[in-house]
Structures are given as structure tokens and as C-alpha cells.
Amino acid sequence: MGIKERKARQKAELRKKILKSARSLARKNGWEAVTTRKLAEKVEYSTTVIYEHFGNKDQLLLLLREEGFERIQQAVEKALDPSLPPKKQLVEAGLASWKFAREKPEYYQVMFNLGGIHCPSDEESKGLQKAASVVYRILAQAGVADSESTFMNWWALVHGFIALDMNGQMPFSSEKMERLLKESLERLMTRL
């Protein structure tokens, strides 16, 4: 392996280490605690290295946001059982989103500006569009005429439950919240 290839590999590895450190700091202390100085300390480099790799903190957040959308899309697709009717798949998709948010809150927070983070974006996220396309595809299979309105109802339920749970605004356990989400999604599906 030549010097050029080795340097490129080392740069990619350091970039991954920085992203992993940002997620780790956010998971442990919240996104407000993630600063370029703390990231530099964690990866044992100067803040200049962070800026060389990402430009600024906003660019790092945007990258993590898109990565989060890719991961939630994969989690939802993996959870779907194609042998089930589309309405049941929509319930499964909602529960898979819930599970993803519970297991990877640091991603979900940066994806949707929760937990004290604001991830600026001038354009609509391509990752969000791809993740939403999974649900739109199921709605099409179900023969739903007004898929946009139905998607927004589905999304309001799922994201609302997740945001309330993440913000600690409900007097229920996460297990009860998940059960209530499932019941609410099932009721929505009976109206299709």
C-alpha cells in the first residue's frame, strides 16, 4: 500500500472516530455538551483537525443527521414482514421507528432537533425523503387514496410519541408508551 492510500485510510478512520465520539458524547451528556473542543480532546487531536474534516460543527451535525435517516430506514425495512398485510406493516414500521429512537436517541435527536440540538439545513433532507418513502410504498400497497394525509397522521402519531417520551413529558413508562403507540397505530389503520 502506498503512502497516498495509507493517508486516505487514516483520514477516513479519524473521520469515523470523530463521528463516533460525537455520538458518544451526545448519548452520555446531551448534544449541548458536544463542542469541537470536547471532540478534539476525546480523539486526542487539535480542534483544527475537527475543522479540517468537517468545516464546522453544523457540517458534522448534518452528516450525522443523514446517517441517522439511513439507519432508521434500514431499521424499518429490516423489521417489516412482507407476508403481512400492508396495514400491519404500517404498525410494524411505526414500532421499528420507536425502537430505533429508543436504541439510538443521539441519532434521533439530531435528525429532528430534539434534546437541545439544532441541526440547521437549507434544503429538505434527502435521507428524510428516503426514510419516508418506505411508508409511502406501504401506503401504495394498501391502496390508500390520500397517501400524503395518511402519512402525516401516521407520522404525527409515531414522532409525537417518540418526542414526548424523549422529553420525559409523559407520566408513563417507556413500555406503556410503546403499548399506547401500538394501540393508536392499530386504531389509525382501522380507519383506512
Side-chain angles (χ1 to χ4, degrees):
M1 176 182 306
I3 293 173
K4 198 176 201 179
E5 291 84 10
R6 182 177 46 82
K7 283 186 177 187
R9 183 176 42 83
Q10 288 173 335
K11 185 176 181 178
E13 287 171 2
L14 179 56
R15 188 175 171 91
K16 284 180 187 178
K17 185 176 181 180
I18 295 167
L19 290 169
K20 184 177 180 180
S21 295
R23 291 191 313 268
S24 174
L25 282 170
R27 188 175 189 96
K28 189 174 184 179
N29 303 313
W31 277 106
E32 293 170 342
V34 179
T35 65
T36 51
R37 184 183 56 78
K38 287 185 182 174
L39 278 175
E41 287 173 10
K42 191 153 173 90
V43 297
E44 300 175 337
Y45 280 88
S46 70
T47 54
T48 305
V49 171
I50 307 296
Y51 292 118
E52 285 174 5
H53 282 270
F54 297 101
N56 59 37
K57 183 178 173 183
D58 288 346
Q59 293 303 311
L60 181 135
L61 293 174
L62 287 170
L63 184 64
L64 286 169
R65 179 185 207 186
E66 292 303 308
E67 189 177 301
F69 283 121
E70 286 177 29
R71 287 178 177 240
I72 198 171
Q73 177 190 359
Q74 292 166 355
V76 169
E77 287 179 343
K78 184 178 178 184
L80 294 178
D81 180 351
S83 68
L84 291 176
K87 290 179 183 180
K88 293 225 184 257
Q89 287 185 40
L90 288 168
V91 173
E92 281 188 356
L95 294 174
S97 298
W98 167 270
K99 184 178 179 186
F100 174 85
R102 297 285 304 150
E103 292 175 356
K104 304 286 185 189
E106 68 280 6
Y107 274 118
Y108 201 87
Q109 289 167 342
V110 78
M111 290 161 57
F112 298 107
N113 294 324
L114 297 171
I117 186 70
H118 177 70
C119 181
S121 179
D122 294 337
E123 60 184 65
E124 189 172 351
S125 168
K126 292 177 184 143
L128 175 58
Q129 293 173 348
K130 277 183 70 179
S133 71
V134 176
V135 176
Y136 274 107
R137 183 182 71 231
I138 299 168
L139 289 170
Q141 291 169 355
V144 174
D146 187 4
S147 60
E148 188 171 295
S149 176
T150 304
F151 173 81
M152 289 307 298
N153 281 284
W154 178 90
W155 177 240
L157 269 175
V158 173
H159 181 65
F161 270 79
I162 292 169
L164 288 169
D165 186 60
M166 280 191 167
N167 290 329
Q169 295 176 317
M170 295 302 289
F172 308 124
S173 68
S174 290
E175 292 77 21
K176 184 170 184 177
M177 288 289 287
E178 181 177 1
R179 192 171 58 252
L180 291 171
L181 171 60
K182 182 178 182 188
E183 291 168 4
S184 298
L185 285 166
E186 288 170 342
R187 275 194 298 278
L188 175 64
M189 294 308 112
T190 62
R191 295 185 180 132
L192 294 183

